[in-house]
Amino acid sequence: MLENRRYIIQIFFIFIGLVFLVRLFALQVADDTYRTKAERNILQRIVEYPFRGLIYDRNNELIVYNEPIYDLMVVPRDVQISDTTEFCKLFDITRDEFDENITRTKRYSRVKPSVFLKKISHEKYAKIQDQLYKFNGFYVNPRTVRKYSKPVLANELGYIGEISQSQLDKDTSGYRAGDYIGITGLEEYYEPRLRGERGVSYKMVNVQGIDKGSYKGGAIDTVSVPGQNLLTTLDLELQEYAEKLLAGKRGSVVAIEPSTGEILVMASAPSYDPNLLTGKNFGENFDIIKNDTTAPLFNRATMAQYPAGSIFKTVQALIALDEGVTTPTEQIYCDTLSIGDHAPPGYYDVKKGIAKSSNNYFYELMRRVVNREIDPNTYKDSEIGMDRWADGIRRFGFGQPTGIDIPGEENGLVPDASYYDRLYDNKPWKYSNVASLSIGQGELLVTPVQMANVAAIIANRGHYYKPHLVKGFEKDGKVELLQFEKKEPGKGKDYYPVVIDAMASVMAETAPRAIINDIEIIGKTGTAENGLKDETPDHSVFIAFAPRENPKIAIAVYVENSGYGGRAAACTASLLIEKHLRGYIKHGWWKREEYVLKGDFLDGKQN
């Protein structure tokens, strides 16, 4: 009997041992979740997001930099909170928000870390970091958002945001959910240069989540690689001044350094403070800006398509001279019968035609190009002339993007014979149907950056470099500069001086308010039709460069619904020219700056 009891006891202990062995096997080998949890109590995988490249202006002034923020991460299975009210108060959230976030993260995974709260500011984190040890299962992941040194250049710089699922579906370059990506402007165009490369580090933590140091001394960590810095062509101080002058108006300014194609200023109004589209309030602010009826997200400098107005007469003169249908000195008699005109009847050559802005003179020049080989019975050969004219206009950069380095640039429109064939259902048409093109109206559409480029072409006496906002990249003290090819759009250069002489005469004729006594401005005014049939004023437009010799700035200004070009646009341009060349505004009896800032341009006077 005693022997039997001993065997029973032995069997019992053996059975208990087998139960423990089976359970231990299940915990340590068969069930991954327990092993994962045990390892997570020791190791914490931290994604190290790279510092995005900085953005500088042409004078090495910092425009865009990075500001640290923190994402609060959570592993739902590890969460232990003794006082939820204290947690919610610490992070400024409601109990409902807490419950929603916990539920969301659990749906993603109970054992994998995910974001509980995004974009905690550096200031906020400094106040709460000492309290995090109380809340098991939570830790912070540092990253950065963009900050802007000045409240300007919103559309040109663009903004960043989390990559969308549709972008992830198409991506082949290693983005992951939650990564930031450039969405518009330079941030989008130069995303591959700016983004950098992510890293990963492993830290040892105890069961309370307290950092106990690097795992294996960091031997298996990978270091994040910062992005490249952008060296832009922009003059931040001049940009600020341009946006100040455009405040309260709708329009744009594009200023180029003619000798390089470098953009000095690109301003669009209305605009917004780029700091609004960064940080925790991005979504709320974006909705406000997007729904603003003044369209501050619309970059008028590259996206707005306007009739060119009389500033286009400079290009018409160059095309006519290129095609050999006139000479710089030929006298052409013009009356006021062909097309409406402010200029008086009389004899006109290129210089007088531009200076007086004679509509009938340019009507005749374009007629000669279009009708040079006309068949009077069918007008068919006018199609040849029309296409020749359109090809000439396109050589000067119209009807196509300039190739400037921000997304979303519009083409404008250069109508040709096929366009009018479609417009008139393949029925005959003739020059009188398209004559409004001769004065920059009709179906012709241009963008401000295209017109600024024309001003640079004339300033250079017949050549240009592609307009661009970035001239190079910098990383670790090494600079990579971009190279741009010299382009010559016309067939000759001999006739540029007469066009320049004519533009110099324009200032006294139609833009006396914009004259600077000791700085010669070579310009052309224009009034572009707004396409409305009511009493809304037309657009004020102006192109110019200065000084005459060795020009440093070429500029185009459009101010919508502001009337004559010699007022709003010309005065804005002259102030920016003076600011760039002199470094300050020399105030005299005629207070141009006060006039432009006030914005009262419609007193009925032409000049």
Side-chain angles (χ1 to χ4, degrees), residues 411-481:
N411 293 339
L413 175 64
V414 176
D416 54 18
S418 64
Y419 177 90
Y420 288 107
D421 286 342
R422 293 191 301 272
L423 185 66
Y424 290 100
D425 294 324
N426 290 313
K427 296 176 182 177
W429 53 270
K430 51 189 176 181
Y431 177 63
S432 60
N433 299 120
V434 304
S436 58
L437 298 175
S438 66
I439 58 172
Q441 304 292 350
E443 295 79 14
L444 178 76
L445 295 174
V446 302
T447 65
V449 68
Q450 290 171 343
M451 289 310 307
N453 193 44
V454 163
I457 292 170
I458 299 172
N460 289 332
R461 281 69 169 172
H463 70 266
Y464 72 98
Y465 300 88
K466 184 177 77 171
H468 54 280
L469 289 158
V470 170
K471 61 183 176 181
F473 314 96
E474 186 273 332
K475 187 173 183 179
D476 299 329
K478 297 179 181 179
V479 175
E480 173 192 349
L481 294 178

Side-chain angles (χ1 to χ4, degrees), residues 252-256 263 265-267 301-302 404 448-449 452-453 554-557:
S252 62
V253 172
V254 180
I256 299 175
I263 299 289
V265 168
M266 180 171 281
T302 60
I404 192 170
V449 68
N453 193 44
I555 192 168
V557 178

Side-chain angles (χ1 to χ4, degrees), residues 39 42-44 200-205 211-222:
E39 289 175 354
I42 299 173
L43 293 180
Q44 193 176 87
V200 177
S201 64
Y202 296 88
K203 292 184 178 181
M204 298 175 63
V205 296
D211 187 350
K212 306 301 289 184
S214 298
Y215 177 66
K216 292 187 176 180
I220 62 173
D221 295 355
T222 57

Side-chain angles (χ1 to χ4, degrees), residues 134-204:
K134 299 178 181 178
F135 311 110
N136 291 349
F138 291 90
Y139 66 95
V140 293
N141 200 8
R143 56 193 316 184
T144 60
V145 292
R146 297 303 235 178
K147 290 293 286 184
Y148 304 87
S149 60
K150 303 287 184 179
V152 297
L153 286 164
N155 284 300
E156 293 70 33
L157 296 170
Y159 57 91
I160 65 171
E162 283 193 20
I163 189 169
S164 67
Q165 187 58 52
S166 61
Q167 289 173 310
L168 280 173
D169 293 340
K170 301 173 186 176
D171 177 60
T172 59
S173 56
Y175 286 98
R176 298 180 186 177
D179 283 355
Y180 293 147
I181 189 171
I183 295 177
T184 61
L186 294 178
E187 295 280 13
E188 178 185 355
Y189 193 92
Y190 289 105
E191 171 66 18
R193 296 273 192 171
L194 288 165
R195 65 180 285 196
E197 299 176 16
R198 66 164 67 205
V200 177
S201 64
Y202 296 88
K203 292 184 178 181
M204 298 175 63

Side-chain angles (χ1 to χ4, degrees), residues 69-102:
I69 59 165
Y70 303 86
D71 287 345
L72 182 65
M73 310 297 291
V74 63
V75 180
R77 194 159 188 169
D78 294 348
V79 170
Q80 294 180 20
I81 300 179
S82 58
D83 189 345
T84 305
T85 300
E86 180 187 7
F87 180 95
C88 292
K89 184 177 180 181
L90 185 65
F91 289 99
D92 294 325
I93 61 174
T94 65
R95 179 57 191 259
D96 287 343
E97 289 173 324
F98 175 88
D99 292 338
E100 288 173 8
N101 289 350
I102 283 291

